[in-house]
């Protein structure tokens, strides 16, 4: 099987999973988008994916993402930055990312806005919310009670557009329980920010639970591309 055939088959099965999860949740199938997470995989895979109809890709490391975005500048694809964002990299990320999904503290906002402004760009932003129980060592994301202040900081920056929320289910917990909390957090957030309708949740192992809880796009790596090189 060629790499193209492999990716095509994997994409078909992920799309079938999304469609089945939408049906089970009583949601229209076109309500849930797919961001293919291409981290650790070469630009050649990205080209095949775009040729196979993929419109959105996700990357989580700035240096790798920046290089790939430059290498694939001719492709019509939206770049989602989904990784932990270092403050000193934020301006650079805003020069190529179309969506920054991992904004979790207000110190990032000015830097992202500066990078977007310098590039003459508008960048969509998702606030990453932590689903870890209070008191646990947070993996990533803002506490739910910090979201209002973050949204207010974004409001002041015309270069950045608040589109919604992103979350990762904590390790070692039933994702359905974590995403149920996310659904509540999102409902409260939407009451104050009705335009922020995006919910980015769900990965290869838990996309069904995320779609059940209202995800509007899932971020899938392994199930499309296979195990990441150099990762167990
Ligand atoms: C790597 C990654 C994914 C994709 O994970 P898979 O299990 O490979 O589908 C999704 N979201 C984030 C934030 C990631 O870092």
């Amino acid at each position: 099987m060629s790499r193209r055939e492999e990716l095509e088959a994997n994409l078909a099965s992920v799309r079938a999973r999304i469609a089945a999860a939408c049906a089970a949740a009583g949601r229209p199938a076109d309500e849930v988008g797919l961001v293919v997470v291409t981290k650790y995989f070469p630009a050649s895979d990205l080209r095949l994916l775009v040729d196979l109809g993929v419109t959105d890709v996700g990357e989580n490391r700035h240096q790798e993402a920046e290089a790939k975005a430059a290498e694939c500048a001719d492709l019509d694809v939206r770049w989602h930055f989904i990784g932990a964002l270092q403050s000193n990299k934020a301006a650079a990320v805003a020069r190529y990312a179309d969506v920054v999904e991992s904004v979790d503290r207000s110190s990032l906002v000015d830097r992202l806005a500066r990078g977007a402004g310098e590039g003459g760009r508008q960048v969509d932003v998702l606030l990453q919310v932590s689903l870890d129980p209070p008191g646990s060592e947070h993996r990533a994301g803002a506490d739910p009670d910090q979201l209002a202040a973050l949204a207010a900081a974004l409001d002041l920056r015309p270069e950045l557009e608040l589109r919604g929320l992103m979350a990762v289910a904590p390790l070692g917990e039933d994702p359905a329980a974590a995403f149920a909390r996310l659904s509540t957090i999102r409902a409260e957030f939407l009451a104050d920010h009705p335009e922020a309708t995006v919910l980015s949740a769900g990965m290869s192992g838990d996309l069904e639970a995320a779609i059940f809880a209202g995800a509007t796009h899932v971020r899938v790596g392994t199930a499309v591309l296979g195990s990441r090189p150099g990762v167990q």
Side-chain angles (χ1 to χ4, degrees), residues 1-169:
M1 222 202 266
S2 70
R3 181 63 168 157
R4 185 191 162 88
E5 287 164 337
E6 187 184 348
L7 294 177
E8 187 171 26
N10 290 347
L11 271 176
S13 80
V14 166
R15 288 190 174 123
R17 279 176 65 190
I18 293 171
C22 285
R27 303 179 58 191
D30 61 2
E31 216 176 85
V32 178
L34 171 64
V35 174
V36 178
V37 179
T38 46
K39 64 191 185 197
Y40 295 89
F41 287 95
S44 55
D45 279 348
L46 220 140
R47 287 186 181 277
L48 291 171
L49 290 167
V50 171
D51 201 46
L52 291 165
V54 169
T55 57
D56 291 79
V57 294
E59 289 281 339
N60 75 334
R61 297 184 304 179
H62 163 61
Q63 265 163 322
E64 178 185 350
E66 185 180 50
K68 255 184 243 175
E71 211 175 327
C72 297
D74 57 309
L75 296 182
D76 186 15
V77 68
R78 278 169 67 75
W79 294 85
H80 295 240
F81 191 84
I82 62 173
L85 200 46
Q86 288 172 258
S87 296
N88 61 351
K89 304 278 169 61
V93 167
R95 291 194 191 101
Y96 61 83
D98 299 292
V99 189
V100 179
E101 298 203 0
S102 43
V103 174
D104 62 357
R105 56 196 191 279
S106 55
S107 59
L108 294 172
V109 171
D110 280 346
R111 292 163 192 261
L112 285 169
R114 179 161 53 79
E118 282 167 6
R121 318 178 68 233
Q122 250 232 342
V123 175
D124 286 347
V125 166
L126 305 183
L127 301 180
Q128 182 173 356
V129 59
S130 171
L131 300 177
D132 301 83
S136 71
E137 211 173 296
H138 285 195
R139 258 216 301 184
D143 281 326
D145 62 9
Q146 296 170 335
L147 294 177
L150 276 170
L154 282 168
D155 242 5
L156 303 172
R157 306 307 312 233
E159 307 89 342
L160 305 177
E161 181 136 16
L162 173 61
R163 299 298 307 276
L165 301 179
M166 182 273 238
V168 178

